[in-house]
Amino acid sequence: MPEKTGFPLQGMGSALQSLVRQDYAFRNFLRLFHSSFTPLAAQDSKESMADREDTLLENRVTKLERIRANGIDPYPARFHRSYDAAAATALFEGLEKTEPPDEKLQNISLAGRIISMRTMGKAAFLDLQDSSGIIQALLRQNNLEAGFDLIKDLDIGDHLGVRGNLIRTRTGQVTIDAMELTVTAKGMRPLPEKWHGLRDVETRYRQRYLDLIANQDEIMPVFVLRSKVIRGIRKFLDDRGFLEVDTPILVPVAAGAHAKPFVTHHNALDEQLYLRIATELYLKRLIIGGFDKVYEIGRVFRNEGIDQDHNPEFTLLESYEAYADYNDVMDMVEQMVSTIADQMNGSTKITIGDQVIDFAPPWQRVNLREELEKRSGIDLEIYDDEQLKNKASEIGIVTEVLDSRGRLIDKLLSTFVEPHLVQPTFVLDYPEEMSPLAKGKPDAPGYVERFEAFAFGMEIANSFSELNDPKVQRERFEEQERIRELYQDDEVDRRDDDFLTAMEYGMPPTGGLGIGIDRLVMLLAGQPSIRDVLLFPQMRTLASDSTEEEPE
């Protein structure tokens, strides 16, 4: 296929054409070199690696001092660019055939991080990366004159602004032919080995900024999708008349979920407070106050372990609708998730590994008691607490002396039921002891109108027909307190007396919903771990000289 010739290269002579060909050959040589040899860093000892890093840092300090000595501010307050890399490329491709050359392609400004440099005599090629992509810059001494000397003080990782004209090289790359250079930020540390990408998981999570730099094409789209998912949820609820609200993060009682809270102290009030574990009770106060439809998307905090789908702080959607029940909420969840999936991926179907998950309604509905009996052989109705513990132990469940009945059932569900729920599924009607805030089922004493939604073996939503009888709610809270004391369980729900007072003013029938945003994004983005959809997941704080490994 004949090479495309951008108009600015025409008539520039064989020397420049030869330079472009040298650059193309040099790139191929580098690719072959780095694919054929073990990286030097893997062969060196830790001591020599540290020495080499010290030398690199010293070299950058020297270059920084030289830049300043030349009267250049290496950290200016501003640089006005005309386009990002993708927009500049699209602009050129739309106008490159115009004759004479369109003025819009002349004297434009671009900026980005230098991710590669190839210097050859009186010219150099740089690749500049911004959040939209990469664009090449051609630096020539005859264009930049004295400004060309700046090249010797530039390093990979520096931020650079370039003013010039857009061209296409003989190798077909859209390029900015530089007329002026502006250092926008001198990088003082070398980047990770770029040719091989940043693959160390520990470093990727701890230093997400390096992960974004080294693996931009892989990582940035996940977090762009996350933002779009949240925006889509907001639009879905707003369009249905819900009002977005904010409720307290620091609370006097950490209630509304089964979780151990983080504890803090308010100095001015001399009062112990907690980071919220849910937004439920404050949102229900708003229903009591007269709002019919409210929701909140915010961080909640639970002092629990870290694993593939748990992080101590996570983003939770909770919504409450007066005069709705859990059947109405089921319909809304199906519509919401299928709509968001279609908006994000162009289909309600997503592929995770070798599994295809289809979020199109209707989702499967199974009864908790029946599904548990089917999968484990245990009928909850025929075992008292001690018998249930013994039976669970017989079939492989690790039980503790202080496991309550609700905790045992939860373990049984996690082991025998949840792994089979690959396609979106609602598990319905939970035992009362697991759901102190849910309305009892009129035709099934001891069970409540609650569902949890699962997909790919993971819980993504939880909903109740909300309990609105203040007397029964008080009794439920008191039972939770008894369980806490009897089983020494810090994760059972807590009594909130102010909420009980609010309920005594009357709460209409209400359907409540909680959706873990992070887990939903995991599914829609096809990511295996919650850490892969959190920009800054929780990690153990390590001393600078520590070699301690992060627990699995």
Side-chain angles (χ1 to χ4, degrees), residues 179-427:
M179 303 298 173
E180 181 182 2
L181 304 179
T182 302
V183 178
T184 54
K186 177 66 181 172
M188 300 309 295
R189 287 184 177 273
L191 296 181
E193 174 52 65
K194 189 67 178 75
W195 289 97
H196 301 280
L198 182 62
R199 286 290 173 261
D200 180 73
V201 172
E202 177 84 2
T203 301
R204 291 181 65 182
Y205 293 150
R206 278 189 191 283
Q207 297 176 284
R208 182 66 85 181
Y209 44 90
L210 293 181
D211 189 23
L212 290 167
I213 293 169
N215 304 306
Q216 176 174 305
D217 292 344
E218 174 187 343
I219 300 303
M220 276 194 178
V222 173
F223 294 101
V224 171
L225 182 141
R226 178 190 175 96
S227 180
K228 290 179 178 179
V229 167
I230 294 173
R231 189 162 63 245
I233 289 172
R234 281 196 167 99
K235 185 177 187 306
F236 181 94
L237 292 171
D238 291 345
D239 288 349
R240 281 153 181 78
F242 282 81
L243 176 71
E244 184 173 13
V245 298
D246 296 303
T247 62
I249 291 175
L250 290 175
V251 296
V253 180
H258 288 250
K260 185 176 181 179
F262 289 95
V263 184
T264 187
H265 185 82
H266 194 295
N267 290 336
L269 298 176
D270 191 22
E271 180 181 358
Q272 179 170 289
L273 296 174
Y274 305 88
L275 296 182
R276 67 186 182 189
I277 59 174
T279 59
E280 177 169 351
L281 301 191
Y282 282 94
L283 292 174
K284 287 192 202 175
R285 285 172 170 93
L286 297 180
I287 296 292
I288 293 167
F291 287 108
D292 285 343
K293 297 180 180 181
V294 294
Y295 76 94
E296 182 171 7
I297 299 175
R299 280 291 218 236
V300 296
F301 309 85
R302 298 180 182 178
N303 200 346
E304 60 189 16
I306 300 172
D307 61 26
Q308 179 174 304
D309 51 7
H310 289 87
N311 194 67
E313 57 175 307
F314 58 97
T315 302
L316 181 66
L317 160 71
E318 288 202 47
S319 70
Y320 293 86
E321 180 179 357
Y323 309 108
D325 67 6
Y326 77 148
N327 293 297
D328 301 310
V329 178
M330 267 188 275
D331 293 339
M332 186 176 78
V333 169
E334 287 178 332
Q335 292 299 323
M336 178 192 298
V337 176
S338 62
T339 297
I340 299 300
D342 188 55
Q343 290 173 348
M344 298 305 109
N345 300 310
S347 169
T348 59
K349 296 180 180 179
I350 61 169
T351 301
I352 304 176
D354 59 355
Q355 298 279 1
V356 177
I357 313 297
D358 191 354
F359 287 106
W363 296 2
Q364 182 183 11
R365 288 159 167 77
V366 298
N367 178 273
L368 179 147
R369 176 187 166 191
E370 294 172 358
E371 192 69 12
L372 183 58
E373 183 176 9
K374 171 184 172 183
R375 299 292 182 182
S376 71
I378 292 179
D379 182 355
L380 296 177
E381 290 302 295
I382 66 174
Y383 296 105
D384 63 21
D385 294 359
E386 192 61 29
Q387 291 170 335
L388 181 63
K389 183 179 296 185
N390 293 335
K391 184 63 176 177
S393 297
E394 289 175 10
I395 60 175
I397 298 297
V398 178
T399 63
E400 307 291 340
V401 173
L402 296 178
D403 276 347
S404 64
R405 184 178 180 86
R407 184 174 293 279
L408 287 171
I409 296 171
D410 188 58
K411 288 182 176 182
L412 289 166
L413 283 172
S414 298
T415 303
F416 293 104
V417 176
E418 293 178 16
H420 298 279
L421 306 179
V422 176
Q423 294 302 319
T425 303
F426 293 115
V427 178

Side-chain angles (χ1 to χ4, degrees), residues 395-504:
I395 60 175
I397 298 297
V398 178
T399 63
E400 307 291 340
V401 173
L402 296 178
D403 276 347
S404 64
R405 184 178 180 86
R407 184 174 293 279
L408 287 171
I409 296 171
D410 188 58
K411 288 182 176 182
L412 289 166
L413 283 172
S414 298
T415 303
F416 293 104
V417 176
E418 293 178 16
H420 298 279
L421 306 179
V422 176
Q423 294 302 319
T425 303
F426 293 115
V427 178
L428 308 178
D429 303 338
Y430 280 59
E432 183 180 294
E433 52 266 65
M434 298 180 70
S435 314
L437 294 162
K439 192 81 171 176
K441 282 187 68 66
D443 57 349
Y447 291 84
V448 297
E449 293 189 353
R450 173 187 177 185
F451 75 74
E452 286 186 306
F454 295 87
F456 202 60
M458 181 170 59
E459 178 200 341
I460 58 172
N462 184 26
S463 171
F464 311 149
S465 295
E466 301 295 336
L467 179 58
N468 62 342
D469 183 329
K471 181 176 181 296
V472 175
Q473 183 65 83
R474 186 176 296 276
E475 292 170 352
R476 296 267 191 91
F477 276 152
E478 289 172 353
E479 175 64 13
Q480 291 294 298
E481 295 295 339
R482 187 191 69 80
I483 292 173
R484 179 197 311 285
E485 183 175 346
L486 178 63
Y487 294 101
Q488 300 177 26
D489 189 348
D490 288 335
E491 294 189 1
V492 299
D493 213 341
R494 295 156 190 83
R495 184 180 66 241
D496 185 332
D497 289 319
D498 181 72
F499 173 67
L500 290 171
T501 299
M503 283 192 69
E504 289 171 351

